[in-house]
């Protein structure tokens, strides 16, 4: 269920996902100076996830998140009113959050009148591998926070259990909250922009998101030579491959693999698109093997 309007004007841009300047580019483009993370050039034929899909993926991922409630002061010195232990998105596009029962967020929601408690969930996406400029993106969801009560509790608890089978599960120590989304914003490796509530509700998360961290860590630890071999697909950049001290897989989605090349304080990203979008881990294995085969043949 959505309401028109923006609950927090200016809850928007988190520009500077990388937090510092660096060289950037794509597999087919020239390097250049940028203000944040490397981003692809604007090419009409580049396949990419839309802003709503990227935001939905971040919300349903294991990226760190914090709740901020204007006017509510946390009891501890850390920013925000607590980090949701787990979270999931309902069919209607609301975000279900599991928070400690004694957290400021839980107390504020319990004592709020009606559904007028405005809150912002801030998400920070950090690459699961060691790499310069490790923050890959930031996102925000602003909306209205309410306790989950009545019949909805069982349905929301089942949803969280499906998304996070290892728990924890709702009980006396935990409170279920619902964030009714009023506006969203994402600023990541692909770019930045707003997301409307209906777009967020309709967008599917990337099917590889749950597996991305483990897959990237495996590629970096066990197949570094094959990842480095992707240099042969870079065209003019191939002759400079020997100058890059580190070649690290930094992001993965259904459309392709992003690799970061680093040396002497400089870095650039290259995207290696799969022949077609993948739907599951089995399809991903075939697509990655095809990339490595193409690199070795080149």
């Amino acid at each position: 269920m959505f309401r028109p309007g923006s609950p927090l004007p200016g809850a928007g841009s988190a520009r500077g996902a990388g937090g510092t300047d660096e060289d950037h580019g794509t597999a087919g483009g020239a390097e250049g100076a940028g203000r944040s993370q490397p981003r692809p050039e604007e090419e009409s034929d580049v396949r990419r996830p839309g802003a709503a899909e990227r935001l939905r993926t971040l919300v349903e991922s294991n990226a760190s998140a914090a709740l901020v409630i204007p006017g509510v002061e946390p009891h501890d010195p850390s920013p925000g009113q607590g980090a949701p232990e787990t979270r999931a998105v309902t069919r209607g596009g609301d975000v279900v959050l599991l928070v400690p029962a004694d957290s400021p967020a839980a107390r504020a929601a319990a004592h709020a009148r009606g559904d007028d408690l405005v809150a912002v969930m801030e998400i920070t996406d950090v690459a699961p591998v060691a790499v310069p400029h490790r923050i890959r993106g930031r996102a925000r969801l602003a909306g209205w926070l309410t306790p989950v009560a009545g019949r909805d509790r069982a349905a929301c608890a089942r949803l969280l259990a499906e998304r996070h089978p290892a728990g924890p599960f709702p009980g006396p120590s935990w409170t279920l909250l619902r964030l009714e989304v009023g506006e969203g914003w994402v600023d990541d490796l692909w770019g930045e922009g707003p997301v409307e509530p209906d777009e967020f509700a309709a967008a599917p998360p990337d099917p590889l998101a749950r597996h991305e961290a483990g897959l990237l860590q495996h590629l970096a630890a066990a197949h570094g030579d094959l990842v480095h071999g992707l240099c042969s697909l870079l065209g003019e950049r191939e002759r400079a491959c020997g100058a890059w001290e580190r070649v690290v897989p930094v992001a993965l989605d259904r459309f392709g693999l992003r690799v970061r090349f680093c040396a002497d304080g400089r870095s650039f990203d290259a995207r290696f698109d799969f022949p077609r979008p993948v739907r599951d881990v089995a399809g991903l294995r075939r697509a990655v093997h095809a990339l490595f085969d193409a690199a070795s043949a080149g």
Side-chain angles (χ1 to χ4, degrees):
M1 179 177 178
F2 302 113
R3 298 183 234 178
S6 167
L8 283 184
S13 174
R15 177 176 289 279
T20 119
D21 296 348
E22 66 181 23
D23 293 335
H24 63 289
T26 58
E31 294 178 32
R35 288 190 297 172
S36 59
Q37 289 279 21
R39 288 173 176 167
E41 295 176 349
E42 293 297 330
E43 298 178 5
S44 59
D45 61 340
V46 172
R47 292 176 301 174
R48 65 187 71 198
E53 179 181 330
R54 284 149 38 211
L55 179 58
R56 179 74 178 257
T57 298
L58 282 177
V59 170
E60 299 214 50
S61 73
N62 291 323
S64 63
L67 275 176
V68 177
I69 303 173
V72 176
E73 293 295 333
H75 291 295
D76 58 69
S78 60
Q81 274 68 45
E85 186 69 20
T86 57
R87 56 187 187 265
V89 180
T90 69
R91 289 185 178 181
D94 294 340
V95 183
V96 178
L97 308 169
L98 186 67
V99 302
D102 60 351
S103 66
R107 289 195 297 270
H111 293 93
R113 294 183 178 180
D115 54 358
D116 291 330
L117 182 63
V118 173
V120 178
M121 183 168 67
E122 298 183 342
I123 301 172
T124 303
D125 179 35
V126 179
V129 291
V131 66
H133 312 293
R134 197 166 177 178
I135 295 179
R136 301 187 300 186
R138 302 184 192 276
R140 292 183 181 182
L141 278 180
W144 298 269
L145 198 65
T146 56
V148 177
R151 297 178 181 177
D152 289 344
R153 285 187 57 82
C156 289
R158 285 195 300 270
L159 180 62
L160 283 175
E162 292 172 3
R163 297 287 192 274
H164 307 277
F169 303 106
S173 300
W174 301 94
T175 295
L176 281 171
L177 300 179
R178 180 194 306 272
L179 181 65
E180 181 187 342
V181 178
E183 67 172 358
W185 191 275
V186 62
D187 183 1
D188 60 8
L189 294 169
W190 288 104
E192 63 174 311
V195 176
E196 294 296 323
D198 55 345
E199 297 173 332
F200 175 78
D206 189 278
L208 303 179
R210 299 184 190 181
H211 312 286
E212 185 200 22
L215 291 168
L216 289 176
Q217 291 166 353
H218 176 72
L219 284 175
H223 301 292
D225 55 337
L226 294 176
V227 175
H228 195 284
L230 294 174
C231 287
S232 65
L233 302 178
L234 293 181
E236 295 180 0
R237 285 204 177 110
E238 180 182 357
R239 291 171 295 182
C241 278
W244 300 107
E245 298 171 357
R246 298 184 62 213
V247 180
V248 185
V250 71
L252 182 68
D253 56 53
R254 63 192 177 101
F255 293 105
L257 174 68
R258 181 185 292 262
V259 177
R260 184 158 298 171
F261 297 80
C262 311
D264 300 327
R266 298 178 300 121
S267 63
F268 79 89
D269 278 11
R271 279 281 305 185
F272 298 93
D273 287 348
F274 299 143
R276 61 188 61 85
V278 299
R279 299 181 178 180
D280 51 33
V281 174
L284 174 66
R285 290 195 184 100
R286 292 191 294 269
V288 171
H289 282 304
L291 273 182
F292 290 156
D293 290 344
S296 62

